[in-house]
């Protein structure tokens, strides 16, 4: 019989080595902490396998689970000496989720479970603190009603605020036992009104309701969005952790907190965290109260007055610091820890590898390698390549004027400007329209996840450095300022007020997540400096990677940026981008609209020196490196004039009538141009176009070689080839121009002629095509379109649903569809090499900067990937990690 429940604590650790795939991250680490003797409240974990079976069986539990859960409860009772449901001294438990990878705030939690009208009296008597007991009961009813019964959370919050207002209280901690008891009665009334039944009194019913809610939250919308954004398979499921409650809300000798063993924003080797006296964990994480600093140094640096934990609970803090060192050494990574202090006794509730910014990830990895805690190769494997994107873009110009509105907590570094929006749906909608937005909330909740992803930055009025907004923003790489208490936010009228200044939705603000500043208007930016830890890690990565990394670049600036980021050549230079230049578009249109070869050649003669100059600038930057140049690819209609003014301009340049040009434009019209007269088909029908481009390439290459003494290596790429014969014809044109130019210049250069594999037929006939082609570059954007029959320009309307329903694991235009498109690439690589051993193989679509796609390229044995300039470092690191994964 399959086992679904594993116990921990009290000298027991059923999970053995702590398998995260089975127990989830939280359960595995609770078991791990128990195994090394740390103070962990006893509990048990229901496995992820049960979650998977639960959904496969139509949300029904196997019969064996009842006995296993009962055995788990008995274990907790045996360790604590308390009995679940006992009216005199009850055992209370927490019920929490725990997927195999961290999904902060995305799934449900229920605390203080086991309280009812009888056990609350027993808790009051056993603890000697009626206020604590009734506070715990009201928390339980509120949380259970929200999470399990799915009642209106806002009505309970409103009832609490009214109760405080009636008593003239500002803080929850001012409420007395009688106040909480009265609020419990009001909460129970709300439950009966909204649910139609009294609040559940049977503690076992409560437990199974909470277990079902946690499993159910795996399929909640916010969890699905988070999984999609972080490429977490929906088949993994979540574990459920049931654990004895320990209480941070038992007076001034009790507290709760969240801490990191190193600073998750900067990576500094210093404890980082917050705590609240007389509180429970949700108060810190949800941002309901603004917490206090963990260390004296952090408090003094922030200029805060409330004492740090180091100062107010010195003995317990010292014990906690010792635990930090034990955990970091044991797990060999920076840890994110939740803890509770119950009447002076420290309890560890969770540890996991902490989410961190890219800057922090680099520093922590490099520091730990230098400290001997991990190897250089492990340091390379530790840093998420996609996170480097945070470091590669501009930051606020320190010299620029700043109209500072207010200052909050620097919760996630980076800077962003955008329109103010007050709800997540608006952020998502405006982002889809191409607008930059800053999501402004009193505090964020897990339901805001889609808006947080869409926003350029996040600003909250409440919450600390470990609140939901801060943790999720750091994980996403979004700048965040939290706890900006001077903000007054009016969600109804869509305004925010700071002092006597009022801003409305749509106004522009800038936030600086490194300083906590909030500024009106847009602040200029400066380019980042990439040195120090970044440079060190890149050196380590380059030692182990096999794949070469090139850049997709067609301007000198793109090429310079790419080279600074370590590009080893250009993998795709799109020549059509040069044709759109305002100074030459008229000549391009004249060439397209000409109805004779002579007319086309006349226009092309005007373009030749322009093209030669383009290539000369690129070759100068990339001297000594390969440059793959794709000859004209897009359909001609993209260059056609639209208005009468544009037709008149072309008519004058060509010396023909406007009516004649309009007739010619009508003749060129295509119903499906992306599968029409484009790519090598243009070269077949109008060979003079490719002749001009080839001549420009070789003249520029010879000139740069003569001038610099360092010859570029042109790789001329013929696009949209489907047959060997197409490539034969085009290669003959290129070779003829090379021969002519070399004769004129009195020198020869190394060059290659190859093709872009972007059609399924080309992939299947790669063996024949390789008889002519000297390299293949897989154009994965079009290969994906033509393989799965979906337009990448229109797919955004429905692909999200395809990913949510498991039709595709990820958006196939973001990450290679390994089973379909990937198999075509593997076939083409195998057949191409069989014909031409040593043929150069690479990819140059957008997938060239995607870490998962790069891992596929490594596994397939391609020679290089090509990515946009700012993604070159990402590709270098991902290529290194792919090589390490094969060891």
């Amino acid at each position: 019989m399959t086992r679904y429940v594993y116990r921990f604590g009290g000298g027991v650790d059923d999970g053995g080595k702590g398998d995260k795939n089975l127990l989830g991250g939280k359960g595995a680490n609770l078991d791990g902490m128990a195994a090394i003797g740390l103070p962990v409240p006893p509990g048990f974990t229901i496995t992820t396998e049960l979650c998977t079976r639960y959904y496969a069986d139509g949300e029904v539990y196997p019969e064996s689970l009842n006995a296993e859960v009962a055995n788990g409860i008995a274990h907790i009772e045996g360790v604590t000496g308390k009995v679940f449901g006992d009216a005199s001294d009850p055992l209370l438990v927490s019920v929490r989720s725990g997927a195999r990878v961290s999904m902060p705030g995305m799934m449900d939690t229920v605390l203080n479970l086991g309280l009812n009208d009888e056990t609350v009296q027993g808790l009051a008597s056993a603890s000697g603190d009626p206020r604590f007991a009734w506070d715990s009961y009201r928390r339980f009813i509120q949380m259970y009603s929200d999470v399990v019964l799915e009642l209106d959370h806002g009505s309970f919050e409103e009832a609490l605020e009214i109760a405080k207002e009636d008593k003239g209280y500002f803080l929850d901690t001012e409420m007395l036992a009688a106040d909480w008891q009265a609020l419990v009665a009001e909460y129970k009334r709300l439950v009966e009104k909204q649910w139609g039944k009294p609040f559940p009194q049977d503690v076992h019913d409560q437990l199974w309701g909470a277990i079902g809610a946690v499993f159910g939250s795996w399929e909640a919308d916010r969890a699905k969005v988070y999984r999609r954004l972080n490429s977490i398979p929906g088949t993994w499921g979540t574990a459920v952790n049931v654990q004895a409650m320990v209480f941070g809300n038992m007076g001034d000798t009790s507290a709760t907190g969240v801490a990191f063993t190193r600073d998750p924003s900067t990576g500094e080797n210093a404890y980082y965290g917050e705590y609240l006296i007389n509180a429970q964990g949700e108060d810190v994480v949800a941002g309901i109260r603004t917490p206090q600093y963990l260390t004296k140094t952090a408090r003094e640096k922030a200029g805060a007055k409330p004492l740090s934990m180091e100062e107010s609970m010195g003995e317990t803090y010292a014990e906690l610091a010792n635990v930090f060192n034990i955990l970091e050494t044991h797990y060999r990574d920076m840890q994110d820890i939740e803890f509770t202090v119950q009447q002076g006794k420290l309890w560890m509730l969770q540890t996991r590898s902490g989410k961190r910014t890219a800057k922090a990830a680099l520093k922590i990895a490099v520091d730990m390698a230098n400290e001997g805690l991990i190897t250089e190769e492990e340091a390379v494997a530790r840093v998420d390549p996609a996170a480097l994107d945070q470091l590669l873009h501009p930051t606020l110009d320190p010299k620029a004027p700043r109209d500072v509105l207010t200052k909050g907590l620097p919760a996630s570094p980076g800077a962003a400007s955008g329109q103010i929006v007050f709800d997540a749906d608006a952020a998502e909608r405006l982002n889809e329209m191409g607008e930059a937005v800053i999501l402004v909330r009193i505090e964020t909740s897990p339901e805001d996840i889609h808006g947080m992803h869409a926003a350029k930055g996040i600003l909250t009025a409440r919450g600390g450095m470990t609140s939901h907004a801060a943790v999720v923003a750091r994980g996403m790489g979004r700048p965040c300022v939290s706890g900006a208490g001077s903000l007054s936010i009016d969600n109804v009228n869509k305004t925010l007020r700071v002092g006597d200044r009022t801003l409305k939705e749509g106004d522009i603000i800038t936030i600086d997540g490194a300083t906590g500043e909030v500024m009106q208007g847009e602040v200029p930016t400066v380019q980042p400096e990439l040195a120090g830890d970044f440079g060190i890690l890149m050196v380590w990565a380059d030692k182990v990677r096999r794949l070469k990394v090139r850049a997709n670049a067609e301007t000198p600036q793109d090429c310079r940026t790419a080279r600074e980021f370590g590009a080893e050549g250009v993998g795709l230079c799109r020549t059509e981008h040069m044709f759109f230049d305002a100074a030459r578009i008229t000549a391009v249109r004249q060439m397209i609209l000409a109805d004779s070869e002579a007319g086309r050649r006349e226009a092309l003669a005007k373009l030749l020196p322009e093209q030669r100059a383009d290539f000369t600038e690129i070759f100068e930057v990339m001297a000594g490196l390969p440059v793959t140049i794709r000859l004209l690819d897009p359909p001609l209609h993209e260059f056609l004039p639209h208005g009468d003014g544009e037709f008149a301009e072309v008519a004058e340049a060509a010396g023909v009538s406007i009516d004649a040009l309009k007739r010619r434009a009508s003749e060129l019209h295509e119903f499906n141009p992306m599968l029409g007269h484009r790519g090598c088909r243009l070269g077949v029908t109008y060979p003079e176009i490719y002749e001009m481009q080839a001549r420009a390439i070789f003249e520029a290459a010879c000139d740069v070689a003569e001038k610099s003494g360092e010859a570029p290596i042109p790789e001329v790429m013929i696009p949209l080839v489907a047959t060997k014969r197409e490539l034969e014809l085009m290669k003959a044109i290129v070779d003829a121009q090379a021969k002519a130019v070399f004769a004129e210049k009195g020198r020869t250069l190394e060059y290659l002629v190859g093709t872009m594999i972007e059609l399924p037929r080309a992939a299947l006939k790669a063996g024949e095509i390789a008889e002519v082609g000297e390299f293949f570059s897989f154009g994965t954007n079009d290969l994906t379109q033509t393989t799965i029959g979906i337009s990448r320009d229109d797919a955004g309307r429905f692909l999200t649903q395809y990913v949510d329903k498991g039709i595709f694991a990820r958006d196939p235009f973001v990450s290679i569809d390994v089973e379909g498109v990937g198999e075509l690439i593997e076939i083409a690589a195998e057949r191409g090499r069989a014909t031409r051993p040593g043929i150069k193989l690479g990819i140059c679509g957008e997938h060239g900067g995607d870490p998962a796609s790069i891992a596929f390229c490594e596994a397939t044995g391609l020679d290089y990937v090509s990515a946009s300039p700012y993604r070159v470092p990402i590709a270098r690191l991902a290529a290194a990690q792919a090589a390490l994964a094969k060891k």
Side-chain angles (χ1 to χ4, degrees):
M1 184 177 72
T2 303
R3 179 176 185 174
Y4 292 118
V5 170
Y6 290 77
R7 303 166 302 162
F8 58 82
V12 174
D13 56 295
D14 288 344
K17 294 183 179 179
D19 180 358
K20 290 186 179 182
N21 293 350
L22 179 68
L23 303 178
K26 189 173 294 175
N29 289 339
L30 283 168
D31 187 87
M33 286 195 293
I36 60 176
L38 295 183
V40 175
F44 61 89
T45 299
I46 306 174
T47 65
T48 59
E49 288 180 352
L50 190 281
C51 182
T52 303
R53 177 171 174 177
Y54 172 74
Y55 280 108
D57 291 352
E59 301 184 23
V60 175
Y61 301 118
E63 289 183 12
S64 62
L65 188 63
N66 279 309
E68 287 197 76
V69 168
N71 186 46
I73 290 290
H75 164 65
I76 302 174
E77 291 174 334
V79 175
T80 61
K82 297 176 184 292
V83 176
F84 193 48
D86 179 26
S88 60
D89 188 11
L91 167 68
L92 304 186
V93 297
S94 63
V95 182
R96 299 193 292 171
S97 63
R100 66 170 78 175
V101 296
S102 176
M103 295 173 58
M106 294 302 111
M107 290 179 292
D108 286 332
T109 292
V110 178
L111 304 179
N112 305 301
L113 190 142
L115 281 171
N116 57 28
D117 292 350
E118 290 186 354
T119 57
V120 68
Q121 300 287 356
L123 183 63
S125 176
S127 67
D129 188 348
R131 184 199 175 282
F132 150 72
W134 287 100
D135 176 29
S136 298
Y137 194 16
R138 70 90 189 175
R139 289 171 181 269
F140 172 55
I141 295 174
Q142 185 172 354
M143 187 174 280
Y144 196 90
S145 299
D146 176 27
V147 170
V148 182
L149 305 183
E150 298 182 340
L151 306 183
D152 176 26
H153 177 71
S155 62
F156 292 86
E157 283 289 328
E158 184 179 1
L160 171 58
E161 292 304 315
I162 290 171
K164 288 195 294 186
E165 190 175 308
D166 287 348
K167 292 288 186 177
Y169 300 152
F170 180 70
L171 298 174
D172 295 1
T173 49
E174 296 175 81
M175 297 279 277
L176 304 176
D179 301 324
W180 287 132
Q181 189 170 358
L183 188 62
V184 164
E186 175 62 14
Y187 277 4
K188 287 166 64 180
R189 189 189 68 76
L190 284 172
V191 170
E192 190 148 7
K193 177 183 177 183
Q194 295 181 28
W195 196 40
K197 290 182 284 186
F199 186 80
Q201 294 292 304
D202 185 295
V203 295
H204 295 283
D205 288 346
Q206 293 174 359
L207 176 62
W208 284 101
I211 291 170
V214 171
F215 280 140
S217 67
W218 177 253
E219 291 298 330
D221 288 343
R222 63 179 185 259
K224 289 179 180 178
V225 171
Y226 190 91
R227 291 202 298 270
R228 184 173 70 247
L229 296 178
N230 293 277
S231 304
I232 299 170
T235 55
W236 281 2
T238 182
V240 175
N241 299 286
V242 179
Q243 191 174 17
M245 279 294 300
V246 288
F247 302 97
N249 59 328
M250 293 188 74
D252 291 345
T253 61
S254 301
T256 188
V258 175
F260 295 80
T261 56
R262 303 190 187 213
D263 189 321
S265 290
T266 66
E268 182 186 358
N269 191 357
Y271 302 144
Y272 175 103
E274 299 168 320
Y275 82 115
L276 275 172
I277 291 176
N278 197 17
Q280 289 197 341
E282 286 300 297
D283 298 343
V284 178
V285 175
I288 294 168
R289 286 166 56 188
T290 299
Q292 295 155 234
Y293 288 92
L294 197 68
T295 67
K296 180 182 178 183
T297 300
R299 179 187 70 78
E300 290 176 342
K301 184 177 179 182
K305 291 182 179 178
L307 292 179
S308 67
M309 184 179 180
E310 184 178 9
E311 295 165 297
S312 66
M313 295 182 163
E315 196 172 310
T316 308
Y317 171 81
E319 184 184 353
L320 181 64
N322 183 52
V323 170
F324 288 171
N325 294 335
I326 291 170
L327 287 174
E328 189 168 276
T329 302
H330 179 74
Y331 288 106
R332 299 166 64 248
D333 196 7
M334 182 265 276
Q335 294 297 291
D336 171 2
I337 293 159
E338 291 181 20
F339 64 90
T340 285
V341 181
Q342 179 177 313
Q343 295 180 320
K345 179 169 175 53
L346 176 67
W347 293 97
M348 305 308 298
L349 304 184
Q350 174 174 296
T351 191
R352 60 188 174 193
S353 291
K355 291 194 175 297
R356 63 207 75 180
T357 64
K359 180 179 179 181
L362 283 170
K363 181 168 180 55
I364 291 168
V366 171
D367 283 355
M368 285 188 168
N370 289 334
E371 292 162 16
L373 197 60
I374 59 176
T375 66
E376 288 182 4
E377 290 187 353
E378 285 176 311
V380 168
R382 285 278 173 89
V383 178
D384 177 8
L388 290 182
D389 202 32
Q390 299 173 35
L391 299 178
L392 306 177
H393 293 282
T395 54
L396 293 185
D397 183 350
K399 299 176 183 175
R402 302 184 180 202
D403 181 6
V404 178
L405 290 166
T406 187
K407 191 170 183 178
L409 299 171
S412 182
S417 299
Q419 299 179 40
I420 296 170
V421 294
F422 293 98
D423 69 85
D425 291 340
E428 187 172 55
R429 184 175 64 254
L430 287 168
N431 177 63
E432 289 172 354
M433 295 167 60
E435 301 289 343
V437 300
I438 304 295
L439 179 62
V440 179
R441 304 285 280 155
I442 296 172
E443 74 244 348
T444 62
S445 72
E447 282 73 20
D448 292 326
I449 181 70
H450 59 296
M452 295 174 74
H453 183 258
K456 300 298 181 188
I458 299 135
L459 170 63
T460 69
R462 295 208 301 233
M465 307 278 278
T466 53
S467 65
H468 173 266
V471 171
V472 173
R474 281 196 294 270
M476 285 182 172
R478 297 291 185 277
C480 176
V481 174
S482 65
S486 63
L487 291 181
S488 176
I489 296 171
D490 184 341
N491 284 314
V492 175
N493 295 308
K494 305 291 186 184
T495 61
L496 69 81
R497 192 174 72 252
V498 183
D500 59 357
R501 300 173 72 175
T502 300
L503 281 73
K504 62 184 185 302
E505 189 163 70
D507 288 345
I508 303 295
I509 59 171
T510 298
I511 63 170
D512 188 339
T515 65
E517 288 183 326
V518 181
M519 292 143 280
Q520 186 166 2
E522 186 170 347
V523 179
T525 57
V526 293
Q527 294 297 321
E529 291 184 16
L530 299 173
D533 296 324
F534 176 90
I536 292 168
L537 193 80
M538 285 294 111
V539 169
W540 294 348
D542 290 342
K543 284 181 186 178
V544 296
R545 72 178 166 92
R546 181 195 62 82
L547 276 168
K548 297 288 186 181
V549 176
R550 301 190 190 182
N552 300 338
E554 46 269 341
T555 69
Q557 182 56 47
D558 284 346
C559 291
R560 278 190 285 271
T561 300
R563 216 163 171 173
E564 287 169 6
F565 285 152
E568 295 158 303
V570 171
L572 176 62
C573 175
R574 306 172 180 91
T575 55
E576 61 271 10
H577 288 196
M578 304 165 179
F579 281 26
F580 282 108
D581 184 90
R584 63 189 77 167
I585 188 66
T586 299
V588 173
R589 288 168 172 169
Q590 181 185 344
M591 178 268 294
I592 292 168
L593 294 171
D595 56 6
S596 67
E597 180 181 337
R600 285 190 294 275
R601 288 192 180 277
E602 180 184 343
L604 288 166
K606 299 176 185 176
L607 290 171
L608 174 61
E610 303 280 3
Q611 281 269 274
R612 183 172 58 239
D614 292 331
F615 297 135
T616 297
E617 288 185 303
I618 289 171
F619 289 150
E620 284 174 346
V621 177
M622 288 289 172
L625 296 175
V627 179
T628 304
I629 298 169
R630 183 178 70 186
L631 300 187
L632 192 63
D633 178 49
L636 295 181
H637 84 279
E638 290 191 9
F639 300 99
L640 291 178
H642 301 289
D644 288 342
E646 291 178 347
F647 272 108
E649 191 176 349
V650 177
E652 183 179 352
V656 296
S657 71
I658 294 174
D659 288 341
L661 286 185
K662 287 185 175 180
R663 281 195 301 273
R664 178 63 176 153
S666 179
E667 291 169 5
L668 292 172
H669 172 75
E670 293 182 285
F671 289 102
N672 193 353
M674 293 311 293
L675 295 177
H677 195 190
R678 56 170 286 216
C680 67
R681 299 160 193 172
L682 293 172
V684 169
T685 51
Y686 306 132
E688 55 273 12
I689 297 176
Y690 280 9
E691 284 178 12
M692 182 277 289
Q693 289 193 293
R695 171 167 281 273
I697 289 168
F698 294 119
E699 286 181 351
C702 287
D703 290 348
V704 171
E706 178 72 28
K707 183 178 176 182
S708 69
E710 199 172 9
I713 307 168
E715 297 178 351
V716 183
M717 183 160 69
I718 311 299
L720 213 71
V721 162
T723 69
K724 171 186 172 183
R725 182 58 180 156
E726 286 170 317
L727 188 56
E728 280 179 337
L729 291 171
M730 298 303 97
K731 186 174 187 299
I733 292 171
V734 174
D735 287 342
Q737 290 301 311
K739 184 177 180 181
V741 171
F742 293 163
E744 293 165 14
K745 298 287 187 179
R747 68 183 306 143
T748 60
L749 295 174
E750 177 189 352
Y751 74 95
L752 299 175
V753 180
T755 186
M756 183 178 272
I757 303 289
E758 50 194 323
L759 298 174
R761 188 186 195 281
L764 295 172
K765 303 302 289 182
E768 289 182 8
I769 293 172
E771 293 173 16
V772 182
E774 295 165 314
F775 69 87
F776 290 164
S777 180
F778 293 96
T780 52
N781 299 344
D782 270 353
L783 186 58
T784 298
Q785 287 193 114
T786 55
T787 298
I788 64 178
I790 292 177
S791 163
R792 62 175 166 155
D793 297 320
D794 303 308
R797 300 174 188 173
F798 60 86
L799 265 183
T800 295
Q801 292 170 289
Y802 265 52
V803 173
D804 285 345
K805 295 179 186 296
I807 299 171
F808 292 122
R810 289 186 67 190
D811 182 336
F813 292 105
V814 173
S815 192
I816 286 176
D817 163 35
V818 172
E819 294 178 354
V821 176
E823 187 168 349
L824 284 173
I825 292 173
E826 289 171 337
I827 289 169
E830 180 184 344
R831 294 179 181 179
R833 288 183 182 124
T835 298
R836 188 186 290 268
I839 186 171
K840 188 180 290 188
L841 303 173
I843 70 166
C844 60
E846 289 303 311
H847 299 93
D850 169 58
S853 301
I854 290 168
F856 165 80
C857 294
E858 173 65 33
T860 309
L862 302 190
D863 298 301
Y864 70 88
V865 297
S866 189
S868 63
Y870 279 101
R871 295 190 74 82
V872 165
I874 295 170
R876 288 166 64 193
L877 183 56
Q881 292 179 351
L884 288 172
K886 288 177 69 175
K887 284 192 171 184

